[in-house]
Each structure stands twice: as C-alpha cells, then as structure tokens.
Amino acid sequence: MEYIFLIFICLLFLIVLWFILELNIKKLKQIGEDKQLDSLTKDFPENIDVCKSILKRLGNDKVNIKEDKESKTSLYVIVTNTITIANIRDSYTRIQTVAHECIHSVQSKKMLWFNFVYTNIYMAYFLIVSILTLFNIIKNPQIFLYILIVMGMVQYFIRSMLETEAMTKARYVAKEYLEENNICSKENVNKIVSRYDELNNIGIKLVNLDMFAKNILNVIVYSVICIL
C-alpha cells in the first residue's frame, strides 16, 4: 500500500510542478524557429570558429572541438575534454548553444567529474537493485528505495546547478561575442538576445523539470517493481 501511495504522491507533484511552472512546449518551439533570425545568422562564422573565439574569451584554449552533423544535441564531455557541436548551423540559437557548452568547459572540474561519476553510479544502482528486486533476491526493498530517492536528489542538485549556470550565463556570453565581433548591427543583436531571453524563460524551467522528472520516474518504476 505504501508503494502505491508513493507513486500517487510522485505523480501528483509532477502535475503540480508542470501547472505552476506554466510551461508551454508549443511556444518554446515557436520561439526557437524564427526564420528571419535564422537567415540573419547564416552569414555568421562557422560553429567551430565561434567556439574557439568564445573559449579564448573564457581563457580556455585546451578544449577539443568537433562538429557532428548527424547529432541534434551539443554537449561537453569532461572525460575527453571535448565539445561536440550538433547540426545547428542554420539556427539563430547556435551562438547561445555554443556558448553554453563553452561555459560547461570552464565550470568547476570537481563538480563536472562528480556529476559524471556519480550519475553513472546512480544509474548502475537503479538498474542493479531493480533487477535484484524483480527476481526477489532483495526481500526488503524499502531501504533500497530510500537510498534511491536520496541519490536522485543529490544527482538532480548537482546537475541542476551545472545546467542552470550554463544556460543563464550563455545569454550574456553570446551577446558579448556578437557585440565585440561586429558581425551584425546593434539592432539585430538586441533582437537575437531578446529571443534568447524568451527561450531561457521557458527553457531553464523545462530543463530542470525534465531532470527532476527523470529521477522521480526512477522512483515510480522501482516502486512498481516492489509491488510486483
């Protein structure tokens, strides 16, 4: 019975959070697809050149950079110290996206390494205890459920700090890059940055809810396994 109650509470919290955050996915997509701004930024430097310039500005020139035109996700990997830029050449958001990953590369190495190692441990823990519980090897799963909840809270806390910082600062770094390199008029810079603000207003809340929801989903899944 306690597992059913926990599942109910988890789902209720997710619904309440979605409601109070007033997230509008459709509006987010509309903001991210601005044909006028897309055409404007087509004449901007290549993504790798933008990345090198921003990294130099941030005082970090030891990062490997590559572009993956088959990928839709840009990311920074601490293990290889590599920024991978996705296929975003035709999007006006690419300056902020590149800035986002550059900021990740200069964040606290302790936090980045902890996030990488801890997240893998957390995922492995969830998988192992789920299998052991499913096959009735774990007889009293309550303590393992409590550990899963606490581990999920820590994982979300660290990841949220890293992502929120990168998303918040990327807007300012992108604006400074646009202004200092004189690659478009001040009026167009303001238009682009204004769009970035609109994206972040929804995006930061959405990313945080998504990360939180994934950890809650693990709790729900494990609770279902416990019921079985």
Side-chain angles (χ1 to χ4, degrees), residues 31 171 188-199:
I31 296 172
R171 176 262 193 208
N188 286 330
V189 169
N190 290 333
K191 286 181 180 179
I192 294 171
V193 174
S194 177
R195 276 305 208 186
Y196 288 166
D197 288 335
E198 292 182 58
L199 282 171

Side-chain angles (χ1 to χ4, degrees), residues 73-171:
T73 305
S74 299
L75 71 160
Y76 169 71
V77 180
I78 180 64
V79 179
T80 58
N81 192 32
T82 301
I83 291 175
T84 300
I85 304 172
N87 185 16
I88 53 174
R89 181 65 180 83
D90 297 327
S91 174
Y92 79 93
T93 63
R94 66 189 180 94
I95 306 299
Q96 179 171 245
T97 300
V98 171
H100 178 107
E101 302 308 329
C102 290
I103 291 169
H104 273 317
S105 75
V106 296
Q107 288 177 316
S108 166
K109 292 297 183 284
K110 288 183 179 179
M111 287 186 66
L112 290 169
W113 273 108
F114 179 85
N115 176 65
F116 175 78
V117 174
Y118 185 84
T119 297
N120 282 282
I121 292 173
Y122 169 65
M123 292 171 62
Y125 173 83
F126 169 70
L127 181 62
I128 292 170
V129 298
S130 295
I131 293 173
L132 294 178
T133 304
L134 186 62
F135 287 95
N136 205 31
I137 297 174
I138 293 179
K139 304 294 183 180
N140 298 301
Q142 290 90 343
I143 183 64
F144 295 95
L145 177 59
Y146 300 151
I147 293 173
L148 180 67
I149 293 173
V150 174
M151 288 184 71
M153 291 171 60
V154 174
Q155 194 272 342
Y156 167 72
F157 177 75
I158 296 298
R159 183 74 186 280
S160 176
M161 288 185 65
L162 291 170
E163 290 300 329
T164 300
E165 179 187 29
M167 294 180 74
T168 302
K169 289 184 177 180
R171 176 262 193 208

Side-chain angles (χ1 to χ4, degrees), residues 10-11 14 126 212-223:
C10 287
L11 292 173
L14 289 178
F126 169 70
F212 180 73
K214 287 177 180 176
N215 289 326
I216 291 296
L217 181 60
N218 287 342
V219 173
I220 293 174
V221 171
Y222 188 64
S223 296

Side-chain angles (χ1 to χ4, degrees), residues 18 21 23 25 28 202-211:
W18 180 269
L21 291 176
L23 298 174
I25 306 298
L28 182 65
I202 302 175
I204 292 176
K205 292 184 288 186
L206 182 61
V207 166
N208 276 276
L209 180 60
D210 177 67
M211 293 186 294

